[in-house]
Amino acid sequence: MNRMILSILICLLTINGYSQHGVKFLEGDLQSALNVAKQQKKMVFVDVYTSWCGPCRWMSEEVLQTPEAAKYFDKYFVCFKVDAEKGEGVAFADKYDVHAYPTFLMILPDGTLRHKIVGADTLHIFIPRVERGLKEKTSWGYFMKKYSDGTLQKKEIPMAVDVFRDAGMKEEVKNLTDSLFGLLSPKEKLAPRYWV
């Protein structure tokens, strides 16, 4: 019975997708989105917004409503929106530590946060930020675990800085750049790969 309901939901989403040009956002709750993502072997892309946020509105109405955005996001994700100040969105924002808007989360079907991006961008800048989350070893979750464990290697720090900067983590970015500076030889301090 549950499979039949899920199949009908997917068909309705597909039909609904043909009537709009932009990214298709699933209606309902997060668990429904996670179930669909599990069935389709995708991640859930969550747009966490507020009603008063101008950059949120711009991302939703302009950037994510293009055919290019639809083609990209519909290929890799089940997309879902959450108002962080209404209903279940308050608990959701608390659970995933969302404090700035818009915040975009990439969540695995088991509910694990894989990647986090804070802020609005044009599509050609935004997609490369999202692509980091498609691969485990360039994702926020990967670098956050290594940062928390104290196991980040010197060569990983520049990418971790970029990922944490995208996630709006100013304190962690400062800590990483300070520690990196102390680890570098005078010659390495001149190497472009360490110019973070």
Side-chain angles (χ1 to χ4, degrees):
M1 181 69 174
N2 285 340
R3 286 181 181 228
M4 188 165 92
I5 292 171
L6 193 55
S7 297
I8 291 170
L9 180 62
I10 291 169
C11 288
L12 289 174
L13 287 172
T14 304
I15 292 168
N16 184 38
Y18 291 116
S19 65
Q20 63 184 21
H21 297 291
V23 176
K24 299 178 294 244
F25 286 94
L26 180 70
E27 301 283 329
D29 61 11
L30 178 63
Q31 190 56 54
S32 298
L34 293 171
N35 291 340
V36 172
K38 184 176 185 178
Q39 186 179 31
Q40 295 183 5
K41 296 181 172 60
K42 295 180 178 180
M43 280 188 272
V44 177
F45 178 82
V46 184
D47 177 354
V48 187
Y49 69 97
T50 63
S51 60
W52 50 263
C53 169
C56 299
R57 199 169 309 117
W58 179 70
M59 286 295 290
S60 181
E61 295 173 4
E62 300 293 328
V63 176
L64 297 176
Q65 287 307 309
T66 63
E68 296 83 11
K71 182 178 178 183
Y72 179 81
F73 285 92
D74 295 344
K75 178 179 179 181
Y76 294 109
F77 302 103
V78 171
C79 298
F80 184 71
K81 286 180 159 244
V82 175
D83 186 331
E85 296 181 334
K86 291 183 181 170
E88 295 175 7
V90 176
F92 177 91
D94 187 50
K95 176 180 179 179
Y96 289 102
D97 197 30
V98 175
H99 303 287
Y101 310 101
T103 293
F104 301 94
L105 306 175
M106 295 166 62
I107 301 174
L108 298 171
D110 66 2
T112 303
L113 178 59
R114 163 70 76 83
H115 199 60
K116 184 177 192 176
I117 301 168
V118 173
D121 262 320
T122 60
L123 190 62
H124 79 276
I125 294 173
F126 189 61
I127 285 179
R129 295 172 74 195
V130 170
E131 284 178 342
R132 291 178 179 154
L134 291 175
K135 298 177 187 161
E136 181 184 358
K137 292 191 176 182
T138 58
S139 71
W140 175 89
Y142 175 81
F143 288 119
M144 192 63 205
K145 180 174 183 342
K146 293 193 89 171
Y147 176 79
S148 298
D149 295 345
T151 58
L152 267 175
Q153 296 177 16
K154 180 169 64 174
K155 66 181 180 180
E156 294 175 310
I157 293 176
M159 177 61 84
V161 167
D162 286 343
V163 169
F164 287 178
R165 189 177 291 133
D166 283 351
M169 301 169 63
K170 293 177 183 176
E171 184 177 325
E172 290 81 357
V173 167
K174 183 183 182 323
N175 292 342
L176 282 176
T177 54
D178 289 348
S179 68
L180 178 61
F181 190 77
L183 295 172
L184 297 176
S185 70
K187 184 178 179 182
E188 288 174 319
K189 289 177 184 174
L190 299 174
R193 71 175 292 181
Y194 292 115
W195 293 354
V196 295

